[in-house]
Amino acid sequence: MKQLNRSAIAVGVAHLCWLSAAFAQDAAPAPADAQVVTITGQRAALNSAQQLKRNSDEVVDSIVADDIGKLPDKSITEVLERIPGVTIDRTMSRSDPEHFSVEGSGVSIRGLTWVRSELNGRDSFSSNGGRALSFEDVPPELMAGVDVYKNPSAEQIEGGISGLVNLRTALPFDIKGQRISGSVEGTYTELNKKKDPAGSFMYSNRWKTDMGEFGVLVNYANSESNTRTDAFQVEPYYPVANAEPGRTVWIPKGAQWRTLDFERKRQGAYAALQWKLDNSLRSHLTYFKSKYKMQWDENALFSAEGNPTNLRVTNGVYDANGAFMSGILSNPANNGIEFGNNTRTSNRDSSTTDVAWNVEWKPASNWTLTSDVQHVKAESEGLDSTVALGTIMQQQNLDLTGSYPKLMFDAAQTAGLSDPNNYFWAFTQEHRDRSITEQTAWKGDVKYDFDHPVLRDLRVGVRFTDRDAKTINSNPNYNWSAISQRWMMPWQINQLATLSDPRFSAPTTVNQFKNFFNGDASVPAVVFPAQSLVAGYPSTYAQLHSYHDVLCAQAGNTCDPWKAAAFGEANPSGDNEQSEKTKALYTQLRFAFDDLKMPIDGNIGMRYVKTDNKSFGYTVYNSTFIIPPGGTTGLGVPTIAPFAGRQDYENSYHNWLPSLNLRMKATDQLQFRFALGKGMSRPDFGQLQAYTTLGQSVQSTTSGTGAGQVTNVTSVAHTGEAAGNPLLRPVTSRNLDLTAEWYFAQAGSLTFAVFDKRLKDIIVKQNSSYQLTDSAGRVIDFNTATPVNGARGSARGIEMAYQQYFDRLPGWLSGFGVQANYTHVKSKRDLYTPVFSQYCSNVSGAANLNLNLNGCDTDGRTFGDLPLEYLSRNSYNLALLYDKGPWSARLAYSWRSKSLLGNNNNGTNGTNGVDTNPDSPTVGQNVIAWGLPIWADDYGQLDGGVSYKFNENFRLDFQGTNLTDAKYKQIMTHHIGDKGRAWFVSGPRYSVRLGMSF
């Protein structure tokens, strides 16, 4: 950090020297005021965005605010979704598809996730282990516009293969004279019946003095959001022999429901100070801060049935492939189906602060020198806490033939689910993390304007960055700890910690699930742990785990007390610290052949960048196998001492990034573009993490109690997983774009684009070996999965966009318009070292590459041929517009097709798949590690808004989101076909905003 501060001071001094040198020059005559474009209304905003696209040197699409602080959607992610080729995720995290995000989350461009983010043309990011902003964290009220560059040129900062997103704020000189504006807004969410406030304020002014012209702009925005998401989930299907007499059928191990309450507070502050002496010297200083604080609380059920092949069906109905459609599920062998009831809370507090200073000096009419210094600091801290109960359902009546699951309960079952006496304390799980990232960057650019019929200008520039990133995770990362489980009996405890036992009294609550699925579904009330137990970590965790200690002593055993996951200073092995320095140099020539019948202009350039990265972390081994008092039989289990070894790494690489952008003007309205370039995307800091965990997996059976316990060991496996690889190289691509653009009117255009991206060094996981020595001096090999640059791929497709207002219609009808775009993307990924096995193995975790790359079914067979994640082959937007007089309106529908969310995710994986390999010694047994591909199904959402402008000072906006109450569905792949996994409903939201401007 000291080095970072010294760099910041040095760059600041250089910046001052640059400015001082500029003052020493003779002042040029003051120019006339620059023309200022005032955005008023939806049509003007569309026309402004169209002109940006039309006049840009690169392939770009933009959205411009149609009033001060008024982008057309409630979040930056939703704004981006309207742009051709851009899609957004609908889950809170790409690593956790079980939780829905109402405003969307991760952004993909042309089906690829390697997106760079900028704020006013400068690097910007969140402290989440990645390299881009979490766009949902940024207040849209502070933005003047959003630009998406599809094939950047040499002068633009490297790092985005799929494209770069530039968020633009206003500067004081963008506004003529004094401007005071603000807004107050209220939002109503139909599902949870809550109202949320929001507001913004902006002041801008400019003054002419003897020292030049000064301008100042300050902007502040604050909003709250309280939403609810209801969900049904169906568990994976298992092939069950003789569930029907003489027939193998596929049966899900249960179905359940859940609800999640989400609370978000988002604040943003922006200030800009601008000055110009004359046309030769100008400068501006900007400050931007975004704060995001969220918490979600969830009550969720899940099937904890450990023996799904013991399931039986009464009155079963099956499809042609033998897959369950409806019937009554039961498990006579286990006296019922076990379910878990979770109360979970997750909170996060994050912020990004960006300070930048820009100076532009023209020592002569054909020379322009620019200096730009920036410091970014991003911080984030989070806690994830879960407490769970367990219960037994004697049976479950389930119907999957409709648009979402129907679960039917009789009066006795309904009463039993709301009775605390039918539950026991099951487990706890906690996770903590903290991260901070800082970067100082400086770039200097020189532009020389030619007085030449062909050559326009030559640009040369350098850029230096110094970034430090530190992430601390709890260890274990997600610390799952049992309180009382049925599989613990009788070898460790003799009974469960039931709520009916006064020794195990802790607070609970009953969730009635009111207005579930917005009233479209009815589910019974269920008992859950009280929120105070989840929020009271770690003291409440210690209380709950004391119940296990009581039961353990009662059974005559000695059990280790519960320990909270180590964190911070108590957990140096959870640290991930990295330092990255980059040096970039570019040159770019702009030219134009204006005398041709069809004039051609463009630019050609080369960017060179060198990256130096240092990181340190730990390799950690902790044994989880406890030899019982009676010893073990069967296979021997090595005794390996706990291990935590620090490792330091250095990694350097350089990249040459050429680019060519051409534009041909066939007519004044019709133009064509050709763009060719090479891009790179550095690995995320999470992928560079030098942290490896090693484990010893022991499968065994235990009989007897107390000192008479005997454990028979049937298998021993040594595996590991590297969270990252500090020696990774960047993913690179060769990009080709062809466009045709017809601009036939103001806010009227028809455009078409073809693109092809050839990808190299895609990051996947492959196995390597790590060795430790046991107590007997034997070397033990750990089969460790490590991220590597291990694949190539491609993404190619087309984009089409059309917008027009129908001005020739009579009267008020002339205010109608339409906006539409469509994107088709096809992707492919080929491993450098192919991994495929027809049958899956019993090796679980990251070391099973066949499982993690290809997916394995519960019948022990591999899937394979999976596409790139988060890519929809087809997506489109369609909007009906109106803009006439004081009225403007929009009805917008956004749709994307099925996309892969992941494979082998939590909830759709396990180790009890059926071994169907005829050559396996365990054929027919439930011993196979499996993980299903999970997909987001086709999803479309209708949003709309109406605005009325009373006069130049007041405007009233009404906006509705998800007007048709769309259901977001996820599906899971089985060899018997795709089956519904989850259905999410968040309900419509309505907002009213009063905007004021003076």
Side-chain angles (χ1 to χ4, degrees), residues 1-152:
M1 195 62 67
K2 291 182 179 178
Q3 177 63 38
L4 188 68
N5 291 335
R6 286 197 297 267
S7 299
I9 293 170
V11 171
V13 170
H15 208 72
L16 284 170
C17 292
W18 192 298
L19 183 60
S20 300
F23 266 119
Q25 304 302 310
D26 293 334
D33 288 344
Q35 182 180 358
V36 177
V37 178
T38 303
I39 298 173
T40 56
Q42 178 177 260
R43 188 188 296 231
L46 292 177
N47 183 58
S48 180
Q50 176 174 295
Q51 293 305 312
L52 287 172
K53 178 179 179 67
R54 182 177 187 175
N55 299 324
S56 172
D57 288 348
E58 296 85 23
V59 179
V60 64
D61 286 286
S62 300
I63 289 181
V64 175
D66 60 5
D67 199 356
I68 298 294
K70 184 63 176 68
L71 284 171
D73 289 284
K74 299 284 289 181
S75 70
I76 298 294
T77 48
E78 292 172 312
V79 169
L80 288 168
E81 187 182 28
R82 311 297 178 187
I83 292 177
V86 179
T87 54
I88 64 173
D89 300 340
R90 290 287 174 179
T91 57
M92 290 186 184
S93 168
R94 284 174 170 165
S95 62
D96 179 16
E98 291 191 313
H99 297 98
F100 181 77
S101 175
V102 174
E103 291 185 348
S105 55
V107 171
S108 299
I109 301 177
R110 292 174 168 177
L112 303 178
T113 59
W114 297 287
V115 177
R116 265 202 75 249
S117 58
E118 293 183 344
L119 180 66
N120 296 319
R122 306 179 184 96
D123 210 7
S124 192
F125 48 83
S126 300
S127 188
N128 56 4
R131 292 186 177 272
L133 275 171
S134 297
F135 292 108
E136 61 272 24
D137 297 2
V138 180
E141 297 88 348
L142 303 184
M143 297 300 119
V146 179
D147 307 317
V148 177
Y149 291 86
K150 309 292 183 64
N151 199 341

Side-chain angles (χ1 to χ4, degrees), residues 256-528:
Q256 56 270 331
W257 58 100
R258 58 173 62 190
T259 190
L260 183 149
D261 291 300
F262 179 85
E263 179 181 349
R264 183 215 71 208
K265 294 182 179 179
R266 187 168 58 198
Q267 294 177 308
Y270 170 70
L273 178 64
Q274 197 169 10
W275 168 82
K276 66 176 181 179
L277 178 64
D278 48 41
N279 198 41
S280 68
L281 183 61
R282 61 180 63 209
S283 178
H284 64 264
L285 177 69
T286 59
Y287 170 87
F288 178 88
K289 188 175 184 67
S290 174
K291 295 182 66 176
Y292 182 88
K293 187 173 184 179
M294 75 85 182
Q295 176 170 320
W296 54 261
D297 301 302
E298 181 184 47
N299 283 159
L301 287 79
F302 67 96
S303 174
E305 179 54 58
N307 299 287
T309 52
N310 289 337
L311 292 172
R312 295 296 178 264
V313 180
T314 304
N315 302 327
V317 177
Y318 306 89
D319 65 14
N321 295 320
F324 174 92
M325 296 177 65
S326 66
I328 301 174
L329 304 178
S330 62
N331 190 338
N334 289 351
N335 195 31
I337 306 172
E338 183 175 346
F339 278 78
N341 307 359
N342 291 359
T343 296
R344 182 176 178 183
T345 187
S346 179
N347 58 65
R348 182 158 301 280
D349 195 347
S350 59
S351 66
T352 298
T353 305
D354 183 307
V355 180
W357 184 19
N358 179 278
V359 177
E360 181 184 295
W361 172 42
K362 295 178 68 70
S365 61
N366 56 344
W367 286 95
T368 304
L369 284 71
T370 305
S371 172
D372 194 277
V373 61
Q374 176 204 26
H375 183 75
V376 184
K377 182 178 182 180
E379 299 176 276
S380 179
E381 184 167 3
L383 169 68
D384 193 327
S385 174
T386 301
V387 176
L389 293 168
T391 191
I392 307 297
M393 290 188 193
Q394 295 303 315
Q395 62 183 32
Q396 189 172 51
N397 192 347
L398 180 62
D399 184 355
L400 302 178
T401 59
S403 57
Y404 54 85
K406 293 183 180 179
L407 292 84
M408 292 150 283
F409 300 88
D410 59 29
Q413 292 170 330
T414 300
L417 286 171
S418 60
D419 184 356
N421 293 324
N422 294 324
Y423 293 85
F424 60 89
W425 295 106
F427 68 85
T428 64
Q429 178 177 271
E430 80 271 19
H431 161 82
R432 296 179 67 187
D433 65 76
R434 183 189 305 134
S435 59
I436 180 171
T437 306
E438 289 192 67
Q439 176 178 287
T440 298
W442 178 80
K443 65 175 183 175
D445 299 274
V446 178
K447 185 177 77 167
Y448 177 77
D449 295 304
F450 293 101
D451 183 12
H452 191 274
V454 174
L455 302 180
R456 291 281 178 86
D457 62 60
L458 176 68
R459 305 180 185 191
V460 179
V462 295
R463 181 173 183 264
F464 303 96
T465 71
D466 188 349
R467 180 185 293 197
D468 286 344
K470 181 175 182 177
T471 300
I472 305 172
N473 282 301
S474 52
N475 184 20
N477 197 4
Y478 283 86
N479 184 30
W480 188 94
S481 301
I483 301 172
S484 67
Q485 298 281 316
R486 291 206 294 174
W487 50 262
M488 291 178 169
M489 302 187 296
W491 63 275
Q492 190 180 96
I493 58 178
N494 291 328
Q495 69 173 80
L496 300 171
T498 58
L499 273 63
S500 59
D501 190 327
R503 296 176 299 170
F504 310 130
S505 177
T508 60
T509 185
V510 177
N511 191 328
Q512 301 289 339
F513 293 101
K514 295 181 179 179
N515 194 38
F516 194 74
F517 258 52
N518 218 3
D520 291 340
S522 177
V523 293
V526 175
V527 177
F528 290 95

Side-chain angles (χ1 to χ4, degrees), residues 126-200:
S126 300
S127 188
N128 56 4
R131 292 186 177 272
L133 275 171
S134 297
F135 292 108
E136 61 272 24
D137 297 2
V138 180
E141 297 88 348
L142 303 184
M143 297 300 119
V146 179
D147 307 317
V148 177
Y149 291 86
K150 309 292 183 64
N151 199 341
S153 60
E155 69 175 326
Q156 292 172 305
I157 301 171
E158 74 285 343
I161 285 178
S162 49
L164 74 85
V165 176
N166 181 39
L167 307 182
R168 286 186 288 109
T169 58
L171 288 171
F173 291 173
D174 296 335
I175 301 171
K176 189 174 183 178
Q178 177 176 274
R179 178 73 63 86
I180 302 174
S181 66
S183 68
V184 291
E185 184 174 1
T187 299
Y188 174 76
T189 303
E190 186 174 296
L191 189 61
N192 63 3
K193 312 299 183 185
K194 289 189 176 181
K195 305 176 183 68
D196 301 308
S200 66

Side-chain angles (χ1 to χ4, degrees), residues 593-600 663-668 670:
F593 298 91
D594 295 329
D595 295 334
L596 298 178
K597 183 177 181 181
M598 295 183 181
I600 295 176
R663 176 177 60 172
M664 181 179 71
K665 297 180 180 179
T667 68
D668 290 340
L670 179 64

Side-chain angles (χ1 to χ4, degrees), residues 861-887:
R861 292 186 293 156
T862 302
F863 294 108
D865 196 27
L866 297 178
L868 292 174
E869 294 179 350
Y870 318 114
L871 184 147
S872 289
R873 181 163 290 192
N874 298 290
S875 61
Y876 68 82
N877 289 278
L878 179 62
L880 178 63
L881 310 173
Y882 187 81
D883 203 330
K884 188 74 172 179
W887 290 98

